[in-house]
Amino acid sequence: MTPLDATETTPGKHLGEELGEELDRIRSEVIAARGADDACYIRTVIATQRGLEAGGRTALAVSLFPPAWAAGTAMLSIAKILENMELGHNILHGQWDWMGDPAIHSTTWEWDFLTPAEAWKHTHNHLHHTWTNVVDRDRDLGYVVFRMSADQRWRPRHLAQPLYNLVLAPFFEWGIALYDLEPDAVAAGRKTWRSFAADLSGFLSKATRQLAKDYVLFPLLAGPSALPCLLGNLTANTVRNLWTNTIIFCGHFPGDVQTFTEEHIEGETRGQWYLRQIQGSADIEGSPLFHILSGNLGHQIEHHAFPDLPSNRYAEIAPRVRELCEKYGIPYVTGPLWRQYGSTWGRILRFALPGR
Amino acid sequence: MPAVPALVRGLLTAVSWLTSPLTPDDYLGLVNPLLDARFPVGRVTAVSPETADVGTLTLRPGRGWSGHRAGQYLPVDVEVGGVWHWRTYSLTSVPGREDGLLTITVKAAPDGTVSPRLVHRTFPGAVLRLGPAQGEFVLPDQLPPRILMVTAGSGITPVMGMLRTLMSHRTPHPDVVLVHSAPRARDVVFRSELHMARRQVDWLDYYEHHSRQHGRLAPEDLGRLCPDWRERETWACGPAGLLDTVEDHWGHEGLAERLHVERFRLTPVLPPEPDAGPGYRVLFTRTGAESTADATTPLLVVGESAGAAMPYGCRRGVCFGCLTPLTYGRVRDLRTGEVQERTGQMIQTCVSAAAGPLALDA
């Protein structure tokens, strides 16, 4: 491909290098500034999460008493959200590996989610973050079942995708677990049956513990409160699933987020990779508490540019990234949650039909 | 802390189903770090100066501490500015003390990250992570009748652990000669305790050698101070210069088997530089492969061409799928230029190159 072709087929490619250098500078500044305050932040979130989980479990043990049920379910829901979003997602990205703390490290952390951390790191950190929004390369672009871009071929089954999403949202962790097994890759011959079987056995042993904990052991311990306890656990898991599904879909699917073709990424430089990450992601505006509960994925653009920087730093670099986008005329997709969520649904509905 | 009864252990295993995917230790450690056996810790109860740059830290070990033998060293993990650093220091306390406490004696390296902080800026209440006690520089269960100990500088520390242990033992005591060298009298760690011990017990002879005045301790000095050195089982610890001399001397006399040597290493020994060429030698310890790496080729590529079993992922520094422990040496992040040299640290091999000879656990 000649340079002229590259410019013609992919407007904006020439922006890459200068932008890349500026973003690299932001990255180095944050890395140099990481220190005791950041370590204190993540430990505080961990202590808060464990406190909420212990409190929630305790309250649900006596949940025949309705206020205890309400308080316990609320605490457990928030604990599970924090655990998946601000802790699990970010620690498994290696954002806290720099501390050298074996208790808070991407290679040792396991999360309260049906899919094992190891399987998720492969599909998320490797496949999704490398090939963000590249049709046929990023399986997160529609999670195999949805059509989210005009570049994806329409099939009749896509007519039902609004329905898929309604079903997927409350069972999101099941969807992700199944997705991480990559059954589609086995069918396509990209993954061996042997490796599928190994992943399946990893999933079954993890899922057994997860289900036994929430739906058998804690209800049994609650004695007379067994049923409300079980319902409280089910509610907390469902709330967590609805919330993570919402935040994650709003990160890449609101209206103006771009998708890319394999030709586009041919010979991609580091600067162009940054550009694709920014153009392929969307932010959500909200309060500091909202950002903590969303694992700072409201700063999805910053997260995609710098997936390994500590999440508590995204808020301070977001205005600088946005300024750079304005300077180079790159769209910066952002908005409040309701608007991003509505826009995501718009995309799900629009691409359910053939054409655009 | 005494060993945990089987009942408690069984209970914790059962509870682990309730705390899954965490362990009960993760919760216990939040209540009190000493209860965490997954990452055992010690709480500092006292810090006392020995000399101007040497201090002793007294620690109360938590659950998970499995004890030590006199002469061993203790890996401790210390947090400095959010980053944890492993270091090892000699244990100077008698194993299995009744109060359950243990002590490590630390010499502050002038430009060190960790040791000056431990000696000068650590206060009771601080928590250090503890590794299991390590090292083969220990007294045997069956004590030899006659012992020679040769130490210099902070090399006295493991030997002090041994001496204190011998003193706490019932009779019969072995006959011990300790020859210790330090620049000046005021640099001698445990000086008053050593002199008092010599006065108190009849089985210990203690000789102090001041190298500022009399030059470095030489084999002739040892022969003069301890004429029957050939008949003694010997333990030696100190700077490399002294230990080389001692090893040569004992080897020359065909007595190498009677000599036990402990070498302090601030950083693990690096493999020798290659004789020629622009690259650094890289070892892959698990595979046993060996290669030469330049300063710009990612170690992932180096390892793969050398036939090592390298974990990999995105190959561009994004996914952390290639993390590999650095056994020793230095690597440089190709994106930031940041040099990393913490032993055991996980390296992103796809964006790191050699910054010196190194070994990876792959």
Side-chain angles (χ1 to χ4, degrees):
Chain A
M1 195 186 273
T2 65
L4 187 66
D5 281 338
T7 316
E8 274 177 6
T9 52
T10 53
K13 264 203 168 187
H14 63 284
L15 296 175
E17 299 333 294
E18 214 176 313
L19 174 74
E21 281 166 26
E22 302 218 38
L23 289 171
D24 275 341
R25 209 168 303 135
I26 293 178
R27 186 186 141 80
S28 325
E29 281 176 34
V30 174
I31 284 179
R34 288 183 309 202
D37 290 348
D38 301 275
C40 177
Y41 170 80
I42 194 67
R43 283 198 296 261
T44 305
V45 177
I46 288 173
T48 307
Q49 187 276 327
R50 287 178 194 167
L52 281 169
E53 169 136 12
R57 300 285 187 190
T58 308
L60 285 170
V62 292
S63 52
L64 261 185
F65 180 55
W69 189 88
T73 303
M75 280 195 279
L76 190 58
S77 302
I78 295 170
K80 281 183 177 262
I81 284 171
L82 274 181
E83 203 274 346
N84 278 186
M85 305 293 271
E86 185 64 341
L87 297 178
H89 171 266
N90 294 331
I91 292 169
L92 291 175
H93 259 295
Q95 291 183 5
W96 302 94
D97 283 11
W98 60 274
M99 289 164 58
D101 185 342
I104 313 175
H105 199 276
S106 65
T107 53
T108 56
W109 192 265
E110 188 55 73
W111 58 350
D112 183 20
F113 209 55
L114 283 173
T115 193
E118 208 52 45
W120 180 81
K121 280 194 289 186
H122 170 67
T123 56
H124 182 83
N125 291 3
H126 178 187
L127 301 180
H128 167 59
H129 272 270
T130 309
W131 309 114
T132 310
N133 279 26
V134 177
V135 174
D136 293 336
R137 291 299 280 274
D138 179 7
R139 294 166 68 253
D140 276 26
L141 185 57
Y143 296 90
V144 185
V145 290
F146 299 95
R147 177 171 176 261
M148 290 299 198
S149 159
D151 292 325
Q152 287 168 307
R153 194 173 147 198
W154 182 84
R155 293 170 195 280
R157 62 180 160 85
H158 289 131
L159 284 171
Q161 71 181 22
L163 185 69
Y164 303 155
N165 196 34
L166 286 176
V167 176
L168 174 66
F171 296 101
F172 193 56
E173 60 178 326
W174 289 93
I176 294 295
L178 185 64
Y179 172 76
D180 286 348
L181 291 173
E182 301 182 283
D184 55 309
V186 180
R190 280 182 287 112
K191 180 169 179 166
T192 62
W193 278 103
R194 181 186 290 269
S195 126
F196 179 78
D199 290 354
L200 185 65
S201 112
F203 161 67
L204 290 176
S205 71
K206 174 83 192 288
T208 305
R209 287 186 83 99
Q210 288 295 111
L211 297 173
K213 175 182 68 166
D214 278 344
Y215 302 124
V216 181
L217 298 174
F218 273 109
L220 280 179
L221 281 177
S225 297
L227 188 61
C229 173
L230 186 146
L231 291 175
N233 293 349
L234 181 65
T235 307
N237 277 327
T238 308
V239 167
R240 183 267 314 273
N241 286 341
L242 291 170
W243 179 250
T244 51
N245 172 266
T246 301
I247 297 300
I248 285 159
F249 270 52
C250 287
H252 294 288
F253 303 143
D256 300 326
V257 170
Q258 291 190 28
T259 60
F260 309 89
T261 59
E262 297 205 46
E263 293 81 65
H264 182 103
I265 56 166
E266 214 170 287
E268 188 178 61
T269 63
R270 179 163 171 77
Q272 290 156 355
W273 179 83
Y274 268 133
L275 189 58
R276 175 162 57 84
Q277 299 303 325
I278 293 173
Q279 292 175 316
S281 307
D283 277 9
I284 311 166
E285 289 158 8
S287 65
L289 181 63
F290 165 80
H291 285 305
I292 291 174
L293 289 175
S294 64
N296 276 295
L297 291 180
H299 303 296
Q300 186 76 245
I301 294 173
E302 289 71 25
H303 170 59
H304 259 268
F306 312 113
D308 57 347
L309 290 188
S311 55
N312 60 322
R313 297 285 186 152
Y314 290 148
E316 75 190 46
I317 61 179
R320 297 175 64 187
V321 174
R322 191 170 184 168
E323 215 169 274
L324 282 177
C325 287
E326 276 161 22
K327 176 173 158 193
Y328 292 104
I330 304 161
Y332 185 93
V333 181
T334 184
L337 181 63
W338 62 268
R339 202 199 300 153
Q340 303 300 70
Y341 188 65
S343 180
T344 296
W345 265 103
R347 198 175 185 116
I348 292 170
L349 293 167
R350 186 159 81 247
F351 289 114
L353 300 172
R356 289 202 66 108
Chain B
M1 202 171 263
V4 183
L7 179 70
V8 176
R9 257 185 289 133
L11 195 66
L12 286 175
T13 308
V15 170
S16 75
W17 278 84
L18 299 176
T19 58
S20 172
L22 300 175
T23 66
D25 288 280
D26 289 317
Y27 285 90
L28 292 171
L30 279 181
V31 177
N32 179 351
L34 265 58
L35 295 175
D36 186 342
R38 187 172 172 222
F39 300 109
V41 304
R43 196 192 294 279
V44 175
T45 61
V47 183
S48 40
E50 302 285 354
T51 65
D53 59 352
V54 175
T56 292
L57 283 83
T58 306
L59 302 170
R60 174 166 300 287
R63 214 162 67 79
W65 167 247
S66 47
H68 77 282
R69 298 177 67 188
Q72 286 192 306
Y73 53 87
L74 179 69
V76 297
D77 201 7
V78 185
E79 191 190 345
V80 182
V83 180
W84 290 83
H85 302 263
W86 280 106
R87 293 291 188 273
T88 55
Y89 299 107
S90 291
L91 282 151
T92 45
S93 52
V94 177
R97 262 166 64 154
E98 265 184 25
D99 59 9
L101 301 177
L102 45 98
T103 62
I104 53 172
T105 301
V106 180
K107 180 176 166 48
D111 50 357
T113 311
V114 175
S115 58
R117 166 177 291 251
L118 285 177
V119 175
H120 302 301
R121 296 193 300 280
T122 297
F123 303 96
V127 166
L128 314 177
R129 288 222 175 102
L130 309 181
Q134 292 173 7
E136 297 303 316
F137 188 75
V138 291
L139 289 175
D141 294 332
Q142 192 67 47
L143 289 171
R146 281 188 286 175
I147 292 175
L148 168 63
M149 291 164 164
V150 183
T151 61
S154 54
I156 186 68
T157 50
V159 165
M160 195 68 209
M162 293 179 181
L163 266 187
R164 285 172 173 167
T165 303
L166 288 175
M167 293 183 71
S168 73
H169 268 228
R170 282 183 232 282
T171 49
H173 284 102
D175 182 76
V176 179
V177 174
L178 167 59
V179 180
H180 177 57
S181 167
R184 296 158 301 192
R186 67 172 187 215
D187 299 315
V188 175
V189 188
F190 309 121
R191 184 161 197 255
S192 56
E193 188 177 344
L194 287 166
H195 282 278
M196 197 190 294
R198 181 178 53 182
R199 284 197 299 275
Q200 277 175 351
V201 299
D202 54 4
W203 48 267
L204 174 67
D205 273 324
Y206 170 57
Y207 299 104
E208 206 170 285
H209 177 92
H210 297 152
S211 56
R212 192 67 62 87
Q213 203 181 339
H214 299 108
R216 276 164 63 166
L217 193 64
E220 305 81 69
D221 298 318
L222 288 174
R224 179 169 48 79
L225 297 170
C226 181
D228 63 346
W229 65 275
R230 285 182 185 80
E231 281 94 61
R232 288 175 182 264
E233 193 88 3
T234 301
W235 278 263
C237 183
L242 171 77
L243 297 181
D244 292 345
T245 309
V246 167
E247 276 183 334
D248 282 353
H249 191 53
W250 260 252
H252 211 253
E253 299 276 338
L255 293 167
E257 279 180 15
R258 310 204 64 177
L259 178 66
H260 310 268
V261 163
E262 175 85 318
R263 286 173 187 274
F264 289 148
R265 292 174 193 136
L266 284 176
T267 46
V269 182
L270 301 177
E273 288 280 357
D275 297 325
Y280 300 109
R281 193 165 146 224
V282 180
L283 296 178
F284 299 90
T285 52
R286 204 173 299 183
T287 323
E290 217 179 301
S291 187
T292 307
D294 61 38
T296 54
T297 309
L299 289 165
L300 175 59
V301 175
V302 174
E304 284 176 336
S305 14
M310 304 291 288
Y312 69 92
C314 66
R315 297 179 181 274
R316 52 172 81 190
V318 171
C319 82
F320 286 60
C322 61
L323 289 181
T324 305
L326 179 66
T327 312
Y328 54 70
R330 289 155 64 89
V331 301
R332 197 169 52 89
D333 189 313
L334 290 167
R335 301 164 300 176
T336 59
E338 192 186 9
V339 172
Q340 299 173 315
E341 51 191 334
R342 264 189 290 142
T343 302
Q345 185 175 17
M346 293 290 208
I347 298 299
Q348 280 181 282
T349 59
C350 72
V351 288
S352 300
L358 63 98
L360 291 171
D361 184 20

